[in-house]
């Protein structure tokens, strides 16, 4: 990680608003992390009081990320990852999973939250053989993301684009699709797209809780139908089993059978 703008000293000069709950910090709280403030815990507790299943969704989403990264390294031979909207570092980050299997893997993280920036250098370390970098950029600025990521990644080689629970922050579905398309257009044949997001039409209690959260003053997150999530993969070759509830995407073998939850995702290859 070589960008001087990502030093902790630079991060401390950025204003972290602790009066308003932030999705990355609330997510960290649900995952059992400590990088959050009382306002985030209060918002997280208020949410779980309405829908306790959000903790299952958060942890199942993390497990889905783990399984897709493992597939990409072991079976697809991918050694480069662009993880946009990474959130606060917790256990089993993309680089930890990838570099454990392939130490030479190179990973670029993208986020625009000052608290993520403050933790980036301390927690997103790399294996000596590989590389890990952090870009302070917004998902709605794909050109900046690509230009900065090219300093670490070779876009002449297949690369996996990871969009985990980030496109829901883009309210307009067409804009969200455009972002995914623009980022994938910059990657060569043999690259992959991994997307997972909260889904609408599966669990009405979840939808009620999310709608209330969006109206609370926190940064809104928009649930999408399974068809809308599937549309992010248009033009790509979906890997079996396609776009499914994240618990059902190549689950670890053995009982019990995974439950369907309102978080859908998939993985697809660029032809």
């Amino acid at each position: 990680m070589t960008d001087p703008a990502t030093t902790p000293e630079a991060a401390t000069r950025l204003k972290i608003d602790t009066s308003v709950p932030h999705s990355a910090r609330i997510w960290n709280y649900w995952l059992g992390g400590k990088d959050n403030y009382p306002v985030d815990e209060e918002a997280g507790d208020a949410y779980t009081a309405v829908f306790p299943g959000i903790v299952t969704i958060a942890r199942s989403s993390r497990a889905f990320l783990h399984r897709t990264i493992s597939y990409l390294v072991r079976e697809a031979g991918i050694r480069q990852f662009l993880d946009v909207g990474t959130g606060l570092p917790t256990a089993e980050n993309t680089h930890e999973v990838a570099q454990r299997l392939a130490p030479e893997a190179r990973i670029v993280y993208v986020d625009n939250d000052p608290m993520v920036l403050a933790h980036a250098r301390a927690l997103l370390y790399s294996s000596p053989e590989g590389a890990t970098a952090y870009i302070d950029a917004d998902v709605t600025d794909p050109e900046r993301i690509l230009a900065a990521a090219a300093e670490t990644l070779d876009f002449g080689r297949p690369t996996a684009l990871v969009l985990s629970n980030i496109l829901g922050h883009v309210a307009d579905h067409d804009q969200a699709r455009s972002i995914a398309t623009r980022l994938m257009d910059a990657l060569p044949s043999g690259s992959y797209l991994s997307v997972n997001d909260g889904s609408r039409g599966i669990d009405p209690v979840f939808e009620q809780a999310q709608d209330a959260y969006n109206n609370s003053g926190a940064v809104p997150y928009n649930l999408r139908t399974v068809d809308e999530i599937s549309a992010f993969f248009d033009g790509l070759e979906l890997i079996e089993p396609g776009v499914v509830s994240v618990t059902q995407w190549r689950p670890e073998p053995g009982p019990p059978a995974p439950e369907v939850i309102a978080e859908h995702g998939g993985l697809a290859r660029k032809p």
Side-chain angles (χ1 to χ4, degrees):
M1 301 181 63
T2 58
D3 184 351
T6 63
T7 63
E9 292 77 10
T12 60
R13 294 193 293 271
L14 298 172
K15 180 174 176 56
I16 299 176
D17 189 349
T18 61
S19 67
V20 177
H22 190 282
S23 59
R25 301 193 304 257
I26 296 170
W27 198 256
N28 175 268
Y29 175 56
W30 287 332
L31 287 172
K34 303 299 182 183
D35 297 316
N36 44 74
Y37 293 101
V39 67
D40 305 306
E41 296 181 14
E42 291 170 9
D45 289 342
Y47 198 118
T48 56
V50 178
F51 180 62
I54 190 60
V55 175
T56 297
I57 286 179
R59 296 180 181 181
S60 296
S61 172
R62 197 72 180 178
F64 168 82
L65 177 68
H66 184 294
R67 296 196 303 277
T68 53
I69 298 301
S70 297
Y71 172 90
L72 287 164
V73 174
R74 286 180 172 142
E75 300 189 44
I78 295 295
R79 296 296 183 267
Q80 297 193 130
F81 297 84
L82 178 57
D83 186 340
V84 181
T86 179
L88 286 162
T90 54
E92 295 295 274
N93 299 290
T94 296
H95 76 284
E96 292 173 305
V97 178
Q99 291 183 343
R100 184 164 58 243
L101 299 171
E104 71 277 17
R106 304 176 74 83
I107 297 90
V108 170
Y109 291 101
V110 181
D111 210 298
N112 69 335
D113 179 79
M115 192 165 179
V116 176
L117 185 60
H119 287 76
R121 284 219 171 206
L123 299 180
L124 300 181
Y125 55 87
S126 173
S127 66
E129 303 93 330
T132 304
Y134 175 87
I135 298 170
D136 179 20
D138 193 278
V139 67
T140 59
D141 192 358
E143 303 304 328
R144 169 172 167 72
I145 291 171
L146 292 168
E151 298 178 11
T152 301
L153 306 178
D154 176 2
F155 286 148
R157 298 172 52 204
T159 301
L161 171 63
V162 178
L163 299 171
S164 179
N165 290 108
I166 183 62
L167 293 176
H169 290 298
V170 181
D172 184 80
H173 184 237
D174 288 338
Q175 182 186 10
R177 288 185 64 186
S178 176
I179 291 167
T181 298
R182 176 64 191 95
L183 291 170
M184 284 303 296
D185 282 349
L187 307 183
S189 173
S191 294
Y192 285 80
L193 172 64
S194 175
V195 173
N196 62 285
D197 266 307
S199 47
R200 188 172 290 277
I202 306 298
D203 189 331
V205 180
F206 177 34
E207 293 168 23
Q208 176 186 357
Q210 188 61 44
D211 291 343
Y213 171 87
N214 289 350
N215 292 326
S216 70
V219 178
Y221 179 86
N222 303 277
L223 303 181
R224 293 201 160 96
T225 67
V226 178
D227 285 345
E228 287 174 328
I229 295 172
S230 298
F232 293 126
F233 299 102
D234 285 354
L236 305 176
E237 301 168 346
L238 277 166
I239 304 303
E240 290 293 335
V243 177
V244 295
S245 179
V246 291
T247 53
Q248 298 189 318
W249 197 92
R250 299 183 175 232
E252 300 296 337
E259 62 177 319
V260 174
I261 62 173
E263 171 90 8
H264 280 66
L267 179 69
R269 181 182 184 275
K270 182 175 180 177

